[in-house]
Amino acid sequence: MTVLHNPVLRGFAPDPSLVRAGDWYYVATSSFEWFPTVPVHRSRDLAHWEYAGHVEGAAPGGSLAGVPDSGGIWAPSLSWDGERFWVTYTVVRSVGTPYFDLDTYVSTATEAGGEWSTPRRVASHGFDPAMFHEGGRLWLLNLQNDHRPGGRRFAGIVATELDRDTLSPVGKTHLLLQHDRLIEGPKLLRRDGWYYLVLAEGGTGWEHGVRVARSRELTGPYALDDRPLLTTRDDESVPLQKAGHGELVETPDGQWLLSHLTARPLHTPGGRRCTLGRETAIQAVTWDAEGWPRLRQGGWHPAVDVDVPTRPHPLPPAAPPEDLSWPWSTLREAPDPSWADTTARPGWIRLRGRHGPESRWATSLLAQRVTEHHAEAEVTVEARPVTFTQAAGLVLWYNPEAYLSLDLTWTEPEGEPQRGQQWRGTPGAEGRTVLGLVERDEEGTRQVAVVEVPVEKPVTLGVTVEGADARFWYVRDGVRTAVGAALDFSRLSDDHGSRLRFTGAMAGIHARDPVDAAFTADFTGFRLTCTPG
């Protein structure tokens, strides 16, 4: 037996889709507006996981330019037909609208971390689709969205048979189930003559859960179990909250597992806030006398430590990336040497500034997931900003309305007001090179502190996160010096503000130059250390 410790994928890793192929288990997770698209992890023992690759090409044309924050690629579903891996997912281009303006795609590969086929669009009834394979037949399951005035945006679960070669519909679309409570994210399996629908219930927040329905026929009718398989909506004290969006998988020896998303909240004066986003967890499952799945520990609350029927298979520590591959992530496009170059200066990353941080098109940002409530990031930067439009530095990022950054930039001489005189900021002339600490939330951007620094040599920037507090600092002559007071890191969470948020906090480096897109900054020694506890 192996004991796994939940979450098994920590930090921003939501909507897990678990599949077994031979001795390996694979999990695909949502990537939203981030690249790499559809990260895939693998494990032999369910406790130790490694990055296996991603579904390259999942974004049509290689770009998600223009998609809103928390839009993009939602809830991929991974499956294995004995010969090939299949993935289906939805690209959502509007968030919070009746239509969602979405497209559902299907792609296949012989290796989950290998080369995937060019995605093909299929029937796009709603988001969070899934595939079901049976006897050589292929079915697409989906949420049905009724966008009409007075319609229900979560109007039931539908299934459409697809031709395996053309992916075109075969016959009509079948309505499997409707329910008063919000249901989505359908997964389908067959066991002991029953078809089981595993459903995400209640939305992806504090009311989230997993509900199961079953039928003797694939096309229904389906009867709901009278109790949830998994939820934490009834108890705020459970350490793993927001438990939902599940998928059942059978082990080689006939035991069962449930993958699901979860979150570890901070308890702040502003309420519970999940700065790490939604994460991936796994539970052990049994079947009761009536043939319904139940958590092995009883009840419907997720366990942190779970015994699973595998032999321990620890993995060596992941080596730091030598290029801009995982764990680096970028917004709406893959990193490109035209703006993120690792060859111009060996051992350094050169970023060319482009749009500002609120852009949906060309943001020069490289970031990694924050995976624990105790974390520290640092990097050394060298740059020569000569106008206030140029800046580069260290950032804690959630989205354009929730970030904290310490940037090397230019400002007017001390005591002189801001008048937009960027043409006067030339080296050796008027103006100063400074570190500017900026806080951004839905109410706007505030400059918290300004520290003048010499421009002749690189400067090391850092930030320490302890729960809800983020403290920025820089190093001069070997001495760490604080910049400003502690800032509220908990605003960088799914739960702050009124708009839908689905990702998680990241730490990284960025640069901007919206005027000329010519300013460059060199970074070296980036380190992100996340400490459990």
Side-chain angles (χ1 to χ4, degrees), residues 41-95:
H41 287 76
R42 68 178 185 175
S43 172
R44 290 188 186 273
D45 64 5
L46 297 164
H48 305 92
W49 292 81
E50 64 182 357
Y51 176 73
H54 69 283
V55 182
E56 188 172 2
S63 173
L64 291 172
V67 303
D69 306 308
S70 292
I73 295 177
W74 285 19
S77 180
L78 192 63
S79 57
W80 166 251
D81 67 2
E83 296 179 354
R84 290 185 294 172
F85 290 94
W86 296 69
V87 67
T88 182
Y89 58 90
T90 302
V91 177
V92 176
R93 301 189 182 278
S94 298
V95 176

Side-chain angles (χ1 to χ4, degrees), residues 207-397:
E207 295 297 308
H208 209 17
V210 177
R211 195 76 177 270
V212 178
R214 69 183 182 184
S215 171
R216 289 295 186 183
E217 301 294 331
L218 188 153
T219 55
Y222 282 81
L224 278 166
D225 189 2
D226 60 4
R227 53 175 281 190
L229 171 58
L230 177 78
T231 190
T232 50
R233 66 174 69 103
D234 60 323
D235 190 345
E236 293 186 9
S237 69
V238 177
L240 301 178
Q241 287 288 315
K242 297 184 179 179
H245 197 97
E247 185 158 15
L248 287 165
V249 171
E250 188 175 13
T251 70
D253 60 356
Q255 300 190 55
W256 286 83
L257 307 165
L258 175 74
S259 64
H260 65 94
L261 69 77
T262 191
R264 293 174 286 160
L266 291 170
H267 295 270
T268 77
R272 294 180 292 170
R273 292 180 178 172
C274 300
T275 55
L276 308 179
R278 297 168 300 151
E279 308 173 285
T280 293
I282 294 174
Q283 305 297 321
V285 167
T286 61
W287 297 81
D288 69 13
E290 285 74 41
W292 292 105
R294 304 294 181 211
L295 297 184
R296 189 178 62 195
Q297 67 267 22
W300 45 75
H301 295 159
V304 174
D305 295 308
V306 178
D307 291 330
V308 289
T310 61
R311 296 180 61 184
H313 198 282
L315 300 168
E322 296 182 357
D323 53 15
L324 300 181
S325 60
W326 188 271
W328 286 114
S329 292
T330 52
L331 283 170
R332 296 180 175 83
E333 61 179 327
D336 185 274
S338 67
W339 62 268
D341 189 3
T342 59
T343 63
R345 186 176 180 183
W348 295 68
I349 299 170
R350 176 165 293 172
L351 293 186
R352 178 174 61 85
R354 299 183 296 165
H355 290 181
E358 298 184 18
S359 172
R360 293 182 179 177
W361 287 269
T363 305
S364 297
L365 181 148
L366 293 167
Q368 298 181 14
R369 286 155 171 78
V370 178
T371 61
E372 303 293 344
H373 293 304
H374 305 276
E376 187 166 273
E378 70 173 343
V379 71
T380 297
V381 58
E382 185 172 26
R384 300 289 187 271
V386 296
T387 88
F388 67 84
T389 62
Q390 299 173 347
L394 180 68
V395 62
L396 293 176
W397 180 271

Side-chain angles (χ1 to χ4, degrees), residues 2-15:
T2 301
V3 178
L4 64 81
H5 185 75
N6 283 315
V8 292
L9 297 183
R10 304 170 83 81
F12 166 33
D15 308 319

Side-chain angles (χ1 to χ4, degrees), residues 74-223:
W74 285 19
S77 180
L78 192 63
S79 57
W80 166 251
D81 67 2
E83 296 179 354
R84 290 185 294 172
F85 290 94
W86 296 69
V87 67
T88 182
Y89 58 90
T90 302
V91 177
V92 176
R93 301 189 182 278
S94 298
V95 176
T97 73
Y99 286 88
F100 291 100
D101 299 317
L102 53 81
D103 299 283
T104 297
Y105 294 92
V106 172
S107 180
T108 65
T110 56
E111 299 290 337
E115 183 176 351
W116 288 82
S117 64
T118 301
R120 289 185 283 175
R121 190 184 187 277
V122 294
S124 302
H125 294 282
F127 49 81
D128 295 11
M131 310 295 290
F132 177 65
H133 309 267
E134 184 180 45
R137 299 172 72 180
L138 178 67
W139 293 81
L140 174 70
L141 292 98
N142 217 327
L143 161 76
Q144 177 179 244
N145 174 37
D146 187 345
H147 57 260
R148 296 171 298 177
R152 297 177 60 189
R153 297 170 68 190
F154 299 84
I157 303 301
V158 297
T160 307
E161 186 176 2
L162 301 180
D163 182 278
R164 288 180 63 88
D165 296 322
T166 66
L167 299 184
S168 57
V170 177
K172 67 178 183 179
T173 293
H174 303 268
L175 178 62
L176 305 187
L177 179 69
Q178 290 181 316
H179 184 44
D180 291 339
R181 184 184 283 270
L182 185 159
I183 52 174
E184 56 185 319
K187 305 292 191 298
L188 188 63
L189 64 95
R190 191 174 187 187
R191 180 182 182 272
D192 292 345
W194 288 99
Y195 291 93
Y196 288 88
L197 266 179
V198 182
L199 304 163
E201 182 186 51
T204 195
W206 306 112
E207 295 297 308
H208 209 17
V210 177
R211 195 76 177 270
V212 178
R214 69 183 182 184
S215 171
R216 289 295 186 183
E217 301 294 331
L218 188 153
T219 55
Y222 282 81

